[in-house]
Structures are given as structure tokens and as C-alpha cells.
Amino acid sequence: MTPLAGKRKSGMGPVSVRPLGEADLDQADEIFRVAFGTFLGAPEPRTFFGTADYVRTRWAADPQAAFAATIEGEVVGSNFAANWGSVGYFGPLTVRPDLWDQGIGRRLMEPVMDCFGTWENRHLGLFTFSHSPKHLELYRRYGFWPRFLTAIMKKEVSESAAVPGRVLYGELPAAERPNALNLCRALTEAVYEGLNLEREIVATQAQELGDTVLLQGAGSELDGLAVCHCGTGSEAGEDVCFVKFGAVRPGPEAADRFERLLNACERLAAERGLGQLDAGMNLGRPDAYRRMVDRGFRTWLQGVTMHRPNEPGYSHPDAYVIDDWR
């Protein structure tokens, strides 16, 4: 997601782009909040996103894929790339509002595109504002095409019964975690060739951001997984459980597995004492979206995903996946 972009103004110092360092995080976080708050018309932009943290969590997950734009040594914007195996996406890309429309966004695109080249991701994407022509045009220049609306949805958490076969990755003994990651990889590979959420699962655990729900299936297979951020300091924020990514094994029973996965995520939220469950749903997956609406999820933020190449990836009617590429 990205408020930014355009051409350089005369009189502005030269823009440099370098890796984002730990000492830059406070400044990058403030720019991130002010940029989004300003673009969306928030009365207090500096407090936008509340206690949710996108900058420090994404930097900690992969410091080598985090970049700063500077003018005369001062950080004026940042961007982050994420590697999900065959899939790569970027964001948040943010620029200080008084420097919008001066080409800084384009400069911050260069290193993330280099990351994707190094990682050899096959399908690239981003989430941006569907009502903003300048965002759509900026990313079109890099080969990204708008395809589907994506709804960021929320519901009030209700008490739920225990879910059979639910295991939390964080509760597994250390010796069992490598095998669990292998099973997760097999599941996501079945959803989309080469898709791999290992980095998200490990980063969520290492940073104590939440946990990953695993649904055991018949034999040694997994029926589903969901990487969940929980509460203050994560990408969820205070009193929220955010499903950053969720998926179930494809096949004839996928819809039933999806219902079970939603139950398991809500159960985790209730166990953590959190009042709201958030999840992103791409409208290229209409049955999954309908099932979330039927459960009481409602959209509070809507954008569009842009894809390179102009293909659906894993956003098609037979896929039961939760994500939003913010």
C-alpha cells in the first residue's frame, strides 16, 4: 500500500536510496503514519494505524529488503519487499507528504524490483488505492496491472468451540517445527506452485507478533494454516487479531476446510482476549468472500491488488486464501 509519487521539484536536493537501518525506524514509522493519515484525511495523521506496527515488523523480518529514500541524509520515505517463494510483493511504500509528486516513489521502486529479480519470484503484486489514478499509473510503468478489489474485513470476536485438529506452531517443540514448516510448504505449493510462507511463519514467531494456526488433516497432511498477528506492536494493533495469510488445501472439501480455518482463527482471537478479527479477502475468490460476509465480516478498507504479469495468480474462484498484500 502506498501514498506517494511523481516528478522531482526544482530546488529539492538530490534523492539517494539506501538500505533502511535500525536507527531510521522511528522516522520511517512517523512518515508511514503521516502519509497514510494525510492521504485518507485522518484528523490526526500521526496517530493513524494506532498501535499497529508495519515498519519495525517488516524491517525485522528482512532488513536487507527494506529501503530508505534520503535527501541530504534525512529519511523522507521507505519501502519494503516480501518474499513468499514464487510470489513477491512490496509495501508499505510511503513518502513524506510535503515531498509528494517529486519522483521519490519511483526511486523507491528500483531496489524492490532488484529484490524480486534476485529472488526470481514468478508472480509479483501490491495493494493500493483503487480510486487513485496516480498510484495505478505509477505501478503500471513497472508492469503491474489492476485486477481485483480487495476487501479488508473485520468482525467482532465471539466465543467459539474448540476446533478439532487445531495446533499452534508456537506450541510445538522446537524439534517438530522443521517438519511443520515442510507441511506448510506442501500446502501452499498445492495452492500455487512455489508459494512459501515460511518467512512469515518464522518472523511472526521470532518477533512474538502472534502465532500460526495449523489444521491437521487425514494422514500427515495439513488441511489449513493461518499466520495471525495479535495485538499491540504487531500489524494487528490493540484488541485485534489480524490474519496476515491463511489458506486451505484445495480440492472438493476446500470450502468446508475454509470454514474450519475461520473457526480456528476466531478461537485464537478469543483465547488471546482480543475483540476484533481482521482478514483481507480478494474478490477474485468470490465463494471465500461470500462465506466471510455470511459470518458477519464487514469491509472497513478497500483497495485493489495489482499483478505482474497480468494473471490471477492464486486469486481465482477455486482458491480459499486470506491475504491483502498491504
Side-chain angles (χ1 to χ4, degrees):
M1 48 182 185
T2 50
L4 64 155
K7 356 175 226 201
R8 188 183 302 175
K9 188 184 202 177
S10 59
M12 186 179 83
V15 178
S16 299
V17 175
R18 60 166 173 77
L20 186 71
E22 188 170 7
D24 303 321
L25 295 180
D26 286 348
Q27 185 65 27
D29 180 75
E30 181 175 350
I31 291 169
F32 157 73
R33 295 174 189 278
V34 171
F36 276 101
T38 300
F39 186 83
L40 295 173
E44 297 290 341
R46 277 183 170 77
T47 63
F48 199 71
F49 284 110
T51 59
D53 192 327
Y54 284 79
V55 168
R56 293 175 185 83
T57 55
R58 298 200 180 182
W59 179 85
D62 191 351
Q64 296 184 356
F67 303 96
T70 66
I71 297 176
E72 297 178 353
E74 182 179 0
V75 173
V76 296
S78 62
N79 197 6
F80 303 81
N83 184 3
W84 288 0
S86 59
V87 175
Y89 75 96
F90 69 87
L93 193 171
T94 51
V95 173
R96 210 172 70 193
D98 63 307
L99 296 171
W100 284 353
D101 300 319
Q102 297 177 35
I104 298 171
R106 289 200 298 273
R107 293 297 307 277
L108 282 165
M109 285 296 298
E110 295 163 7
V112 300
M113 297 307 292
D114 289 343
C115 279
F116 297 145
T118 299
W119 296 336
E120 299 183 339
N121 312 105
R122 188 170 74 253
H123 192 86
L124 306 178
L126 66 120
F127 174 101
T128 193
F129 299 108
S130 53
H131 65 287
S132 173
K134 75 175 182 178
H135 289 84
L136 301 182
E137 175 59 20
L138 171 66
Y139 302 126
R140 188 194 61 76
R141 295 178 185 179
Y142 292 88
F144 293 90
W145 288 85
R147 290 191 63 94
F148 308 107
L149 290 177
T150 294
I152 315 302
M153 308 179 79
K154 66 181 180 181
K155 78 177 295 288
E156 185 177 332
V157 172
S158 10
E159 287 297 328
S160 57
V163 179
R166 192 200 75 158
V167 175
L168 297 179
Y169 177 83
E171 294 180 354
L172 293 174
E176 294 181 18
R177 291 182 181 179
N179 183 58
L181 293 174
N182 289 337
L183 293 175
C184 290
R185 192 179 311 115
L187 188 154
T188 52
E189 175 81 25
V191 170
Y192 184 77
E193 184 180 0
L195 180 63
N196 185 356
L197 270 291
E198 181 173 338
R199 283 180 171 83
E200 291 292 345
I201 295 168
V202 171
T204 298
Q205 192 63 34
Q207 296 181 58
E208 300 181 345
L209 302 176
D211 213 328
T212 298
V213 172
L214 307 175
L215 290 183
Q216 295 176 324
S220 61
E221 288 186 311
L222 284 184
D223 275 351
L225 69 89
V227 183
C228 298
H229 285 211
C230 298
T232 299
S234 73
E235 293 178 22
E238 184 179 5
D239 201 35
V240 176
C241 175
F242 167 51
V243 185
K244 183 163 184 177
F245 180 90
V248 299
R249 186 162 47 83
E253 306 300 321
D256 291 339
R257 289 191 280 268
F258 186 65
E259 296 281 2
R260 188 168 149 231
L261 185 66
L262 291 173
N263 287 339
C265 292
E266 189 154 10
R267 176 74 174 177
L268 174 65
E271 289 171 348
R272 296 291 179 98
L274 302 171
Q276 181 175 306
L277 182 62
D278 282 18
M281 179 50 64
N282 187 296
L283 271 63
R285 311 168 200 142
D287 190 58
Y289 171 71
R290 179 186 62 78
R291 289 172 183 275
M292 290 180 66
V293 170
D294 288 348
R295 279 176 168 260
F297 281 92
R298 295 294 180 264
T299 301
W300 64 269
L301 177 67
Q302 186 164 274
V304 63
T305 51
M306 299 184 69
H307 297 240
R308 174 181 164 176
N310 187 12
E311 297 172 356
Y314 53 78
S315 292
H316 55 80
D318 293 331
Y320 290 83
V321 175
I322 295 169
D323 73 342
D324 58 50
W325 288 352
R326 280 184 293 166

